[in-house]
Amino acid sequence: MSRDPDCIFCRIVSGEIPCHKVYENEHGLAFLDVGPLADGHLLWIPREHVVALDDLTESQAADLCRPLPRLGRAMRDVLPAEGYNVLQNNGRVAGQEVMHLHFHLIPRTQGDGLGYRWHPGRYGPGRAEALVAALGGALGG
Ligand code: 5GP
Ligand code: ZN
C-alpha cells in the first residue's frame, strides 16, 4: 500500500494522528473535518496515498466511492441536514490543500449561509463543438 510519511492523511490512516472516525472499510475511512464548514462535515479518504481523482483506475474509483451514498444517508438520518454537498478538490488551483485525495461531505440546512461563487458563462461560436471534439476524442466517445 503506498504511503507518504509526510502526508497528514496518511498519518491519520496509520493512526499516528488521531481523528474522529465515523466509518471505515478496506478502501477508506470517514472522519470529521477538523475545520468543519457545518456540524458533521465529513472527509472520506482512501487508505492509499493518491493525490487526485484521476490518479485512480475506474475500478479503484468504483471501490472507493461505493460508501458515499451510505455516508449521505447517515447525514440525512442523524443530523439536521436537509441536503449535503459532496465536494472534491483536485489541484491547488481548485482549492486542494491536503494532497491526499478526499471527498468532503458537507451537511446543508436552509439559511446556513454556505455557498460559492458560481457565475455561468456562455460558449462563443464553435467552442462547444471544439470541446466535444477534443474531450470526446480523448475519452474515445
Ligand atoms: P482541501 O482544501 O484540501 O479540499 O481540504 C482539506 C480539509 O482537510 C480541510 O477542510 C481541513 O479542515 C481538513 N484537515 C486538514 N488537516 C486535518 C487534520 O489533521 N485532521 C482532520 N480531521 N481534518 C484536517
Ligand atoms: Zn497521503
Side-chain angles (χ1 to χ4, degrees):
M1 178 165 305
S2 81
R3 177 176 191 278
D4 175 348
D6 297 324
C7 168
I8 201 149
F9 285 179
C10 283
R11 296 174 72 199
I12 285 178
V13 170
S14 71
E16 225 179 295
I17 292 180
C19 72
H20 291 97
K21 187 165 37 184
V22 299
Y23 176 76
E24 63 185 322
N25 68 12
E26 70 268 44
H27 301 294
L29 54 149
F31 54 90
L32 296 180
D33 191 305
V34 77
L37 296 184
D39 191 53
H41 177 169
L42 296 179
L43 297 173
W44 171 245
I45 70 169
R47 290 186 182 278
E48 292 252 6
H49 181 82
V50 284
V51 176
L53 188 62
D54 51 282
D55 291 329
L56 298 177
T57 64
E58 291 194 359
S59 158
Q60 287 170 329
D63 284 341
L64 180 65
C65 291
R66 202 164 285 117
L68 289 176
R70 172 196 296 242
L71 296 171
R73 266 193 302 277
M75 284 191 159
R76 283 195 196 271
D77 289 350
V78 174
L79 302 173
E82 296 152 45
Y84 57 93
N85 289 114
V86 178
L87 179 66
Q88 200 275 306
N89 301 326
N90 297 281
R92 290 207 189 279
V93 72
Q96 184 175 9
E97 286 181 2
V98 177
M99 293 297 150
H100 180 127
L101 174 64
H102 54 278
F103 293 80
H104 296 262
L105 288 99
I106 306 166
R108 300 299 305 271
T109 49
Q110 281 296 334
D112 62 15
L114 292 177
Y116 33 75
R117 280 170 290 131
W118 192 282
H119 302 304
R122 272 183 189 281
Y123 288 121
R127 183 57 186 157
E129 292 75 12
L131 287 168
V132 168
L135 292 170
L139 290 163

